[in-house]
Amino acid sequence: MLTRIILVLALSISLQAKINVVASITDLADIANQIGGKHVNTLSIARGSQDPHYVEVLPSYMIKVKRADMYLMVGMELDQWAEQIIDGSRNSDLKIVDCSENIIPLEIPTRKVDASMGDIHPNGNPHYWLDPENGKAIARTIARHLKEVDPQHTQEFDANLVNFIESIDKLENEWAEKFSNLQGRSLIYYHNTWPYFNRYFGLKAVAFIEPNPGIMPTPTHLDHLIHLIQGQNIQLIAMEPYFSGKAPTFLKNKTDIAVVGLAQSVNARKGTETYQKMLTYNLETLQKAFTP
Amino acid sequence: MRPKYFLLLFVFIGSLQAQTSVNPDISVIGELGMSHFDDETTLNASSVEIAIEGYVNPYARADVYLHKHMDGHPIELEEAVLSIERGLPFGLALRAGKFRPEFGGINKQHLHLFPHIILPVPVAQILGDHKWSSSGLEAKWLLPFPWYNNLSVAFLQDGISAEAHSHDEEEEEETEEETGKAFSSRYSMFFDLGDVSHLEIGLSYYQLVDEGDENISAVDFKYKWLPNKYRSLVWQNELLRKSPSIHTEEGEVEEHHEIITAYSMLNYKFNKVWNVGAIVDYSSDMEEAMYHSEGLFLGFSPVEETTVFRVFLKQAHHGDHNPGLLVQAQLLWSLGPHKAHKF
């Protein structure tokens, strides 16, 4: 009996010793999990299949953050809702990490931003995790902060970071060989989620289903897209899981363009359980769609 | 130029940059309303809410809401509150200033968030036409349970002014009621009923501190189903009980009966831009007669929530009066940033 109690106590102490990490999105949670290994418990506020721009501030999220040691924000004004969750958690010991701190942003507006431009982010496009090189930068940021919180396990965090970067390096070589035919391909996206992904893999976004970021498609805009698809022989529309399929289906019926679903985040779709799998899934999906 | 002028110029430019980096969020919500009742159509002219919000230091934020209710009325200070939410021990938070205390489910909601445009009359009967806000201090404690439990306790300079805040200046003078200091509290719990279903339950209590024996208790619950950003279902309910009380003013004794009021509201959002719903409300004693009403509403938000058009139809039954049909229409627009939606 005494042995059992000691075992339970020891187990509870070892559980308590883990760093509790809450992340705004599943990608940051997964990278933290790969870097922290057995020394972290991770969870994400937004589900992989959820639009990270629009997350309702639920009191239950505050309880999750109340128990956390570290909060991983996307930053660049994507997850502004996180501020309210953090405030509501009343966790004065929480370490807040902005994972965009070592990212070179794309698409920083060159003129004054206002609502006529739609849901524009003044500090640049915030979907930076979709470039594998940025994935490495995120991992370095997370590793550095984990070491500050738990210096005892510095060596393990460093080793896990090396493993993570090597796994991406290895995949980058494989992707370069296997998906080289995607270079220069043009497609239409639903939302402007993919500039970092496009830059790395050599794809080109010719238009978006949304007339402006965050704005639902209008009949005029869809008519413009029909002319664009027919005029430039665009073959593919790619969309995230949380958008309505109505407008893409309408365009498909009018022009025979193919529509595929991509995963903008870990666990957005089946087969995207890790950061590496998510990137591979998107490349495989695009290649399959572009292959006649 | 002398060195000291260089220094002054440097400090001035530096202060301008600092100002830019700490600018608060400023937003404006405008409203144009129209109502039709008793064969009379009225354009309610404009109402405007100005919100100025931001962090004042690493631990506290300030929120100021100014409201101009109708044309011809001055801008009123609705809230000006300092909230300390970070850095306090034991899951505590504090609010100080003028604010809407945590009381029931509807008191903290701003009017522009109502899909049914107007405050349910029985709620206005208890909380006043513009609901309850007062200067005071509120402490909130996140109780150490595995699920969300929050206890709020507030001491306020002014209690609830039960009489309706009329827009008619002469009438306003007659009906506005002075109240003493008040205490209010709310205990709320929140449950995740799965990934997309959530429930909040609240119990509230209000008591005048230094005069009268008036108290108000309330029970509220809200259920929300939010499978994705295109669809949602909200069911919000509240029951308020105002105790019988005796007021003595200038030697005259005034007796108030017990009043029980309630409302139940169902709001379904579909296709991202449309919402439709119904509301029923009830008061056991409104001017010594029972009151109840049924209403239907429809909303259209073509571009997020920057532009909203709403229509509300309500049939009210009050004592021996003939049932009256009220038609209310509203155009709302918002300018500037807005915070993420809270449950």
Side-chain angles (χ1 to χ4, degrees):
Chain A
M1 185 65 187
L2 186 66
T3 321
R4 277 185 187 176
I5 292 168
I6 292 168
L7 273 172
V8 168
L9 280 173
L11 185 66
S12 66
I13 288 166
S14 80
L15 283 174
Q16 279 172 3
K18 285 190 177 190
I19 306 169
N20 291 314
V21 179
V22 177
S24 284
I25 59 170
T26 50
D27 310 83
L28 304 182
D30 179 62
I31 294 172
N33 201 35
Q34 293 191 45
I35 305 301
K38 62 185 180 187
H39 302 296
V40 296
N41 292 317
T42 57
L43 64 89
S44 167
I45 296 293
R47 299 186 301 278
S49 57
Q50 196 174 1
D51 187 345
H53 297 85
Y54 305 100
V55 172
E56 189 158 287
V57 177
L58 300 179
S60 51
Y61 297 155
M62 297 169 188
I63 293 296
K64 287 172 181 167
V65 177
K66 182 180 162 62
R67 297 186 199 118
D69 302 294
M70 187 187 285
Y71 191 95
L72 303 176
M73 285 185 78
V74 178
M76 293 170 73
E77 299 201 355
L78 179 80
D79 49 351
Q80 291 182 66
W81 39 266
E83 295 281 349
Q84 286 180 68
I85 295 172
I86 291 166
D87 282 350
S89 75
R90 298 170 210 163
N91 182 346
S92 47
D93 300 321
L94 187 70
K95 184 176 184 65
I96 302 163
V97 177
D98 183 342
C99 291
S100 70
E101 62 186 35
N102 292 313
I103 303 297
I104 299 165
L106 295 178
E107 300 180 350
I108 298 174
T110 49
R111 64 188 174 100
K112 185 177 173 286
V113 173
D114 64 41
S116 70
M117 299 154 86
D119 189 12
I120 289 280
H121 298 276
N123 300 322
N125 190 301
H127 302 277
Y128 56 83
W129 64 90
L130 288 160
D131 177 337
E133 287 300 313
N134 286 345
K136 294 178 197 172
I138 295 166
R140 286 187 197 100
T141 301
I142 292 173
R144 182 162 56 81
H145 288 284
L146 283 176
K147 286 188 279 185
E148 283 173 18
V149 173
D150 184 6
Q152 279 183 46
H153 298 108
T154 293
Q155 281 186 335
E156 282 179 70
F157 297 147
D158 282 338
N160 291 342
L161 176 64
V162 169
N163 288 342
F164 179 83
I165 289 172
E166 281 178 359
S167 77
I168 299 287
D169 287 342
K170 191 179 163 206
L171 280 172
E172 283 178 324
N173 290 331
E174 286 175 23
W175 291 333
E177 204 175 302
K178 197 173 167 186
F179 302 107
S180 57
N181 60 331
L182 291 178
Q183 289 274 343
R185 294 280 193 171
S186 297
L187 69 159
I188 292 173
Y189 290 105
Y190 199 108
H191 176 77
N192 190 13
T193 305
W194 307 89
Y196 297 90
F197 184 83
N198 289 349
R199 182 185 59 175
Y200 185 84
F201 294 106
L203 290 148
K204 190 180 167 195
V206 286
F208 303 99
I209 300 285
E210 292 176 332
N212 292 96
I215 307 297
M216 281 180 82
T218 59
T220 316
H221 183 66
L222 291 176
D223 192 47
H224 162 74
L225 290 178
I226 290 171
H227 286 103
L228 185 83
I229 292 164
Q230 289 168 339
Q232 295 189 22
N233 193 25
I234 309 297
Q235 293 172 32
L236 191 64
I237 294 171
M239 60 185 285
E240 297 82 348
Y242 43 79
F243 286 118
S244 163
K246 268 188 186 174
T249 306
F250 171 80
L251 293 172
K252 183 183 175 183
N253 292 339
K254 290 282 180 189
T255 64
D256 277 340
I257 193 169
V259 179
V260 294
L262 297 184
Q264 87 298 337
S265 274
V266 169
N267 277 327
R269 295 184 189 274
K270 203 176 169 191
T272 62
E273 291 80 15
T274 64
Y275 178 74
Q276 293 89 333
K277 281 185 183 176
M278 179 268 293
L279 290 172
T280 306
Y281 173 94
N282 288 328
L283 292 166
E284 283 174 349
T285 303
L286 288 172
Q287 189 176 55
K288 205 172 158 189
F290 278 122
T291 306
Chain B
M1 202 182 278
R2 287 181 188 175
K4 71 175 179 183
Y5 295 126
F6 274 116
L7 183 67
L8 278 174
L9 187 65
F10 177 77
V11 169
F12 177 67
I13 291 168
S15 72
L16 280 184
Q17 283 171 345
Q19 247 179 4
T20 308
S21 66
V22 295
N23 274 345
D25 290 337
I26 299 171
S27 59
V28 180
I29 293 169
E31 179 206 348
L32 182 68
M34 188 212 79
S35 64
H36 178 85
F37 181 69
D38 218 7
D39 291 334
E40 194 181 332
T41 303
T42 324
L43 197 64
N44 289 339
S46 300
S47 134
V48 171
E49 181 183 285
I50 301 164
I52 305 159
E53 301 163 299
Y55 288 94
V56 291
N57 59 45
Y59 311 103
R61 54 176 296 119
D63 298 270
V64 178
Y65 297 96
L66 302 165
H67 204 133
K68 181 181 165 296
H69 288 286
M70 301 286 277
D71 273 350
H73 277 252
I75 291 179
E76 290 175 14
L77 179 65
E78 193 167 299
E79 293 187 69
V81 59
L82 181 79
S83 306
I84 305 170
E85 291 184 310
R86 296 181 184 184
L88 293 175
F90 312 119
L92 285 169
L94 289 173
R95 289 203 294 164
K98 187 176 184 190
F99 57 89
R100 299 193 174 285
E102 296 249 5
F103 183 83
I106 209 166
N107 192 54
K108 272 187 79 178
Q109 286 180 7
H110 285 222
L111 275 172
H112 63 83
L113 294 173
F114 290 171
H116 38 83
I117 304 176
I118 51 172
L119 187 66
V121 173
V123 174
Q125 187 191 0
I126 303 275
L127 300 179
D129 266 6
H130 298 158
K131 298 179 283 156
W132 181 35
S133 77
S134 171
S135 296
L137 182 71
E138 184 178 69
K140 293 193 274 187
W141 184 28
L142 209 50
L143 300 171
F145 290 113
W147 67 97
Y148 182 90
N149 276 258
N150 187 72
L151 179 67
S152 305
V153 179
F155 285 97
L156 291 312
Q157 176 62 32
D158 303 306
I160 297 169
S161 180
E163 301 301 319
H165 182 118
S166 168
H167 296 300
D168 183 299
E169 281 177 21
E170 286 174 23
E171 198 183 327
E172 190 175 314
E173 275 177 24
E174 287 171 17
T175 57
E176 205 166 81
E177 189 182 290
E178 293 275 318
T179 61
K181 293 180 180 59
F183 157 86
S184 91
S185 68
R186 180 166 188 258
Y187 172 62
S188 63
M189 287 177 286
F190 180 88
F191 304 97
D192 285 326
L193 308 174
D195 278 349
V196 297
S197 292
H198 314 281
L199 178 71
E200 186 185 42
I201 300 169
L203 300 169
S204 305
Y205 183 75
Y206 159 93
Q207 172 83 56
L208 278 174
V209 173
D210 51 5
E211 60 179 66
D213 52 354
E214 180 182 297
N215 68 64
I216 303 169
S217 41
V219 184
D220 61 275
F221 88 82
K222 183 179 178 181
Y223 169 78
K224 192 164 194 174
W225 174 69
L226 187 68
N228 53 51
K229 63 180 184 174
Y230 290 89
R231 284 190 298 163
S232 68
L233 179 75
V234 176
W235 185 29
Q236 186 169 331
N237 305 271
E238 195 158 347
L239 185 137
L240 299 112
R241 177 194 174 269
K242 189 172 181 179
S243 67
S245 60
I246 298 169
H247 284 267
T248 310
E249 203 166 303
E250 293 172 6
E252 284 187 30
V253 176
E254 205 178 318
E255 274 188 56
H256 294 273
H257 302 291
E258 177 192 68
I259 303 170
I260 290 175
T261 69
Y263 72 89
S264 180
M265 187 273 291
L266 200 63
N267 183 20
Y268 178 60
K269 177 177 144 182
F270 59 100
N271 200 24
K272 198 177 177 189
V273 297
W274 291 96
N275 74 284
V276 62
I279 182 167
V280 289
D281 55 25
Y282 162 84
S283 170
S284 64
D285 181 1
M286 190 180 289
E287 292 163 4
E288 298 182 349
M290 197 180 84
Y291 172 95
H292 68 98
S293 79
E294 307 87 37
L296 293 171
F297 53 82
L298 177 73
F300 177 55
S301 321
V303 189
E304 298 301 319
E305 284 161 25
T306 56
T307 317
V308 184
F309 180 70
R310 292 174 179 145
V311 181
F312 178 47
L313 277 82
K314 188 179 87 162
Q315 175 106 348
H317 312 265
H318 185 203
D320 297 332
H321 299 283
N322 288 329
L325 180 71
L326 169 74
V327 182
Q328 194 93 22
Q330 182 189 48
L331 175 68
L332 270 181
W333 51 267
S334 72
L335 179 68
H338 54 87
K339 284 197 278 192
H341 285 243
K342 271 192 173 177
F343 178 80

